[in-house]
Amino acid sequence: MAPRGGSSYPVEGSSDRADSQSPAMFCRTLLAAVVLSSAAAFYEAPNFPIEPKGYRIDLHPVPGEGTYKGRVRIDIVNRGSEAITQLKLNADSQINVSNKDIKLIRLANADLSDEESDEDTPISVSAVDRENHSLIIHCTQKLQRDATYQVDIKFEGKLGSDSQSPFFQGSYQEKEGGEPRWFIVLSPKISETRKVFPCFDLPYIKSWFELTLAHKKGMTALSNMPVLEISNMTREGDWIRAQFSRTPLMTVSSLGLFISDFKMPEVEYLQTDGIRIGLWGRSDIVPTLKKAQQVLPSVLVSLELYLSRPYPLPHLNLIALPGYIEERPLNSWGLQWFRESDLMNGNSYWLTHRVAKAAAMQWLSHLASPVNDTPVTTGLANFLATNVAKQLEPTMYHWNLGSFHTLVLELGKPRNYGLDAEQKRSLMESRVFLLLQMFEQVFGATTFKQSIQNFLAKKEFKAYSDEDLWQVISEQAWVDSKLALTISLGEVVQEWLSGRLPLVTVATDYLTNTTTFTQEKYVDNLETSWSKTVKKGGVEKEQGWWLPLVAAVGNSEPMMIGWLNPKSHSLSFNNISTSTYIVLNPGSTGPYVVNYDSEGWKRLIAAFKNLPVTYRAQLLHDSLSLALSGHLDTVTALEVTSGLKSEQAPEVWRAFFPLADRLRNRFQGTAATHNLDAYLKSLLIPVLDALGEEDKSSWKTELRVRTRHLLCQTGFTPCVEGARTSYAAWLNASSPDDGIPIASGHLCPVMAWGSYEEWQFALDRLQNFPSNRSKAERTFLMKTVAGCPHDPKKYETLLNITFLNRKNNKFSDEDRFIILSALSGESIGYTTLFNFLKTNWQDLKKRIQGNLWDYFVQTAMGNFRTEEGLKEVSQLLNERRSEFGTGLKAAEDSVSRVEGRVKWAKETTPGVLTWLNKTLEEAWTPQRFKFHDVLVLSHKPQP
């Protein structure tokens, strides 16, 4: 397809080559030159004069006391250009080193394991310095080039008390009042091993390790390699010493160990290569780990086949760790630690995906080692895990727009605030995953798979940077003529992994049969205009992408038709059929949103029911996202949703639920509120009927929970009654503060439509929340208690406790921010908050200060959508202008925001109300359909 009015990159066969060469010769010559020159782009380890060949480490941790002592002997070689008289190791200041016991010898035979041999030569240590978290050993004799030495250091340290430490202890109780049961974890991140023992803590240095570990009898010790020998340390035999086999070459941050009394289900072995699989947990949860243990062998085989690299160790142990609350597992070579719930029996697809993602990190973090802990590595692991889960659980696989929707929502905001470091990292990981998915479609599954295999082949037992991955994928795409030789993905990914996401608009001129694709930044225009965000430093920089245009025209298969580039934001074609519909980025394989002209949307709406499932989900996602951000009129998006009346694919409904929730919130407090709820009920009640009663089908359970949640938001009586029945199990629990014994989906309906006493019970649980339970669980309960009610009395009680009764020290200012944010979603919530502000003005002014006061004002005044609300907030601003203090700007901005919301509501609501009235008045009998019990879907990358 020939582009017109723009340009894509030059491809093979273009005319800009030397006339003196044949096309084939030119391409081969140019390709060879490009690939050869690109070799210099690979990560090169910096020159380091001292090369550690291997470590012998003795560790003796003492659980309960929280201390450990140890000894490390490191075989080193001077690879520098000259002899040296000092050694510099990484050693954090918190490690106590016995300077007088430091020894240094020259090994006569580098392979000699007995360093006490008479042939070894002692080297005198004249001084030891500690500076900048380093240990510097001064020698009286020079360490000669290419000679092998051994440095011997004894050390002591303290065990950390949580998983943020590289070497920590933890405990759990099997039953109430029982003795604590201790466990020990060593799992350092990049550049953290120096906090445990003196070492050469650089991510590009790899050595072998021999670990000897002391622990109490009756405990199990696990490390990177299997136990080689066990011996008694004491005459009584209460302490034993475990010696582990030598590891392959690895970085010090790959070192790991675990000591516990944990158990595992029946041990399984891979029949192909005898890899030992271990799933470990407290004895009372061991039965729930059985499914993960059964899944793991198949996961490893699938990864080995895809990566064309065998799993490099003789075992892999996954551990369900009590009290661990992080979403990312702790990751060592051969050992990984998870939240307990992550490894328990559940949805087969997500359990397989979770295990596969962790297993993929064994290749990507240890066989090959990243020089930095970046989301590119975990994004690639996510991509590999998705392939494995689709392969092993095809009947459970569901195409899901969840991660893409989160990206669109967060990156479209006028400004991002309130995200912690881990949430930002998760967003970046999603970007990488979606980008890799797009490259697989554009270059084809075969080319892409080969590039990943090439990457590991080049980088096994070596270090790599993010750029290395993009370089290897580029090289394979060049070889297979899937990417122009003038383009490298290192350049392509820069914009995709920074700034915002693209919005591509498809417009057709039917008189000239010209179809034009235009890219721009996707920004939430409504939020931007309401918040009047002004970027510091002037106008925000224009952004453009190397963007592959993959399109399906009518019933044809998706095909690559060209690239938009960062400088030419528009590209036109005059040989695309204009007699039918076109779907760009089919299935949202690429991380960008697509809009169409009015005729394009009309054609897609007419064809909606006959489109593939992934296309239908995409159209729902893009149309509603565009309507919610001001790029598309809401009535057009509602027309797309009308196709749901007979929708039987769970994947499409999953795309709909979070957007329907946002659409409903957007119209809260407007004249369309009631009718929109009625429309949602008309769509969702047949879905709930079709899903039937509770059963063992995990995907039905998930869909049932989401359907009920949205129905309950509308006040659907059977839904609320069912939630209250389940809630009674918590009300009647003998120890209600031990945990929430009901499905989380039942809580919000009870908080919204249940009695005041039921809500008060949950508030009491929040105030008495035990410190040993998950912070994330407490935050969820807080958001539910604060964000779901439809009763002003509940809000007033909560606000009195958290903002006026300051003797109540159960709530921090961080909690108060969360509560304010949660209650701003419902019109009853922010209306009650506004009235609370007016009524208690003086007391609140005394008790709240700084950013919390500003946010209180913003939340209380800035969410109204009606003329009456605008009148109220304007009046308060005028009356109290001199008293707002630091909150004056927040108040002024809030009034301006409400003015924008009211203007939007006046322009949008009449058309929406007319459409809803017409639709609800139509004689429509919802279909009584059945969801299929088995549904297999897959993406089809371009061959």
Side-chain angles (χ1 to χ4, degrees), residues 842-858:
Q842 297 300 337
D843 286 342
L844 289 171
K845 277 284 292 175
K846 291 177 184 176
R847 289 170 169 78
I848 310 175
Q849 298 175 351
N851 291 336
L852 184 58
W853 167 249
D854 296 350
Y855 190 63
F856 193 106
V857 170
Q858 174 188 320

Side-chain angles (χ1 to χ4, degrees), residues 184 506 764:
I184 302 285
V506 183
D764 291 342

Side-chain angles (χ1 to χ4, degrees), residues 694 701 705 708 712 719-752 754 758-759 761-762 765 773 777 780-781 784-785:
E694 306 292 336
T701 299
V705 167
R708 282 177 176 164
C712 287
C719 176
V720 175
E721 290 176 350
R724 295 182 72 183
T725 300
S726 297
Y727 190 77
W730 194 16
L731 285 170
N732 298 323
S734 57
S735 302
D737 293 321
D738 287 350
I740 304 176
I742 62 171
S744 59
H746 291 310
L747 288 181
C748 195
V750 177
M751 298 300 97
E758 288 169 324
W759 176 84
F761 174 82
R765 304 287 69 73
R773 281 173 57 196
E777 190 178 7
F780 170 75
L781 180 59
T784 306
V785 167

Side-chain angles (χ1 to χ4, degrees), residues 571-585:
L571 188 62
S572 297
F573 296 86
N574 54 16
N575 56 352
I576 297 177
S577 173
T578 58
S579 63
T580 184
Y581 60 84
I582 180 172
V583 179
L584 182 66
N585 191 29

Side-chain angles (χ1 to χ4, degrees), residues 124-161:
S124 297
V125 176
S126 60
V128 178
D129 294 330
R130 301 292 292 270
E131 61 180 47
N132 297 326
H133 304 289
S134 296
L135 180 72
I136 303 172
I137 302 171
H138 299 272
C139 313
T140 57
Q141 299 162 258
K142 289 185 176 181
L143 307 185
Q144 301 300 319
R145 289 180 59 197
D146 298 327
T148 303
Y149 298 84
Q150 185 179 92
V151 59
D152 186 341
I153 306 171
K154 293 180 180 178
F155 55 89
E156 296 179 347
K158 292 184 178 180
L159 297 169
S161 58

